[in-house]
Amino acid sequence: MVGFDADDTLWRSEDFFEEAQDRYEDIVGRYIDLSDSTAREQLYGIETANLKVFGYGVKSMTLSMIEAAVLLTEGRIDGADVHRIVQIGKDMLVHPVELLDGVTEAVEEVARRFPVVLITKGDLIHQESKVRASGLSSTFSRIEIVSEKDPQTYTRVLRELEVEPGQFVMVGNSVRSDITPVLTLGGWGVHIPYHLTWQHEVQAEPPSDGDLPRMRTLASMRELPETLTALTDSSPA
Ligand SMILES: [Mg+2]
């Protein structure tokens, strides 16, 4: 079975978060001098603390931007600007899905040979609408939208899918969320880095040396089908 991550694996996502952050800074920058401030670090600190309360995704980030704007401006931000921050979040939620190069062909080819599932975190309603807009929803036998991608979550999902970790390959752009937890369980990981990585995902425990033989790193989704062929040929299972 092959599991796919969604954001920055199938379609662009982090680019839009960075654009949103720039728009947020344009707004807050009218109140305080951002040139030598730690505004970005403060926003990231609030976002990280809020993950435990709000979870991942655009709505969580929007609330964090509002909270950070109020704190950084010491309460001076006016209602119209708070509304502009809300609009940044809404614009992200309705942004058209932009599939990455070669994704449709690669996923469809893999799906002809293996059961494929989608495992992603983020806002339920946002992820569901992106899956629908991607044109790939019928290709995946199951779509799992989870609140965290850790070994416990993968253990639960794999048990529900009735697949042994050694028979499971996870494909994704985040070592922290897509690769390391699956390798830890004895599964396989195909890392396809994206040109941008959210700070939170960079802070990762690297896979342990003993797990590295079950990891591959590709430059593009186009290399995935032949990589899976090589893996199934080399795996005794
Ligand atoms: Mg991702």
Side-chain angles (χ1 to χ4, degrees):
M1 181 176 288
V2 182
F4 286 87
D5 169 55
D7 289 343
D8 299 325
T9 296
L10 301 182
W11 49 65
R12 294 174 69 204
S13 172
E14 187 58 25
D15 307 78
F16 307 133
F17 278 91
E18 299 233 335
E19 280 171 29
Q21 199 145 309
D22 291 343
R23 287 174 64 190
Y24 154 86
E25 286 179 0
D26 286 345
I27 294 167
V28 174
R30 290 187 225 126
Y31 295 83
I32 59 167
D33 180 9
L34 290 174
S35 59
D36 61 353
S37 88
T38 55
R40 200 159 266 230
E41 285 71 36
Q42 284 187 263
L43 173 60
Y44 178 66
I46 290 169
E47 262 184 273
T48 307
N50 282 344
L51 286 177
K52 293 186 192 74
V53 188
F54 299 137
Y56 291 89
V58 170
K59 283 182 281 187
S60 177
M61 194 221 187
T62 307
L63 289 170
S64 295
M65 286 192 294
I66 293 170
E67 186 175 355
V70 171
L71 289 174
L72 284 168
T73 65
E74 297 171 323
R76 287 179 296 116
I77 189 160
D78 71 30
D81 281 331
V82 172
H83 192 204
R84 285 188 188 98
I85 295 174
V86 172
Q87 193 59 47
I88 295 172
K90 285 186 177 175
D91 290 347
M92 289 176 81
L93 288 168
V94 300
H95 196 285
V97 167
E98 294 181 19
L99 289 168
L100 297 177
D101 179 52
V103 159
T104 302
E105 301 85 336
V107 172
E108 286 177 350
E109 184 174 343
V110 171
R112 278 194 286 275
R113 295 158 50 200
F114 306 98
V116 296
V117 295
L118 188 73
I119 305 175
T120 176
K121 58 191 183 190
D123 290 316
L124 177 63
I125 190 165
H126 189 209
Q127 293 295 12
E128 282 179 343
S129 73
K130 284 194 284 189
V131 171
R132 249 193 324 274
S134 74
L136 289 168
S137 54
S138 63
T139 310
F140 294 101
S141 64
R142 182 100 161 241
I143 293 162
E144 287 281 342
I145 298 168
V146 298
S147 54
E148 190 56 272
K149 283 171 137 178
D150 53 18
Q152 292 89 322
T153 302
Y154 283 107
T155 300
R156 174 182 65 75
V157 170
L158 295 187
R159 196 182 302 132
E160 286 171 12
L161 294 168
E162 298 180 333
V163 60
E164 292 297 323
Q167 300 285 315
F168 179 75
V169 184
M170 184 70 193
V171 181
N173 71 299
S174 168
V175 171
R176 175 186 179 133
S177 295
D178 304 316
I179 307 300
T180 301
V182 175
L183 295 178
T184 301
L185 298 177
W188 298 72
V190 175
H191 183 216
I192 308 180
Y194 191 62
H195 72 102
L196 293 172
T197 306
W198 182 30
Q199 200 174 344
H200 181 72
E201 301 290 343
V202 173
Q203 297 164 339
E205 286 284 311
S208 71
D209 289 349
D211 286 339
L212 285 177
R214 280 177 284 108
M215 175 177 173
R216 300 291 181 274
T217 300
L218 308 183
S220 156
M221 187 64 86
R222 293 189 184 281
E223 299 166 22
L224 182 65
E226 62 182 278
T227 300
L228 292 175
T229 303
L231 283 185
T232 43
D233 289 349
S234 68
S235 165

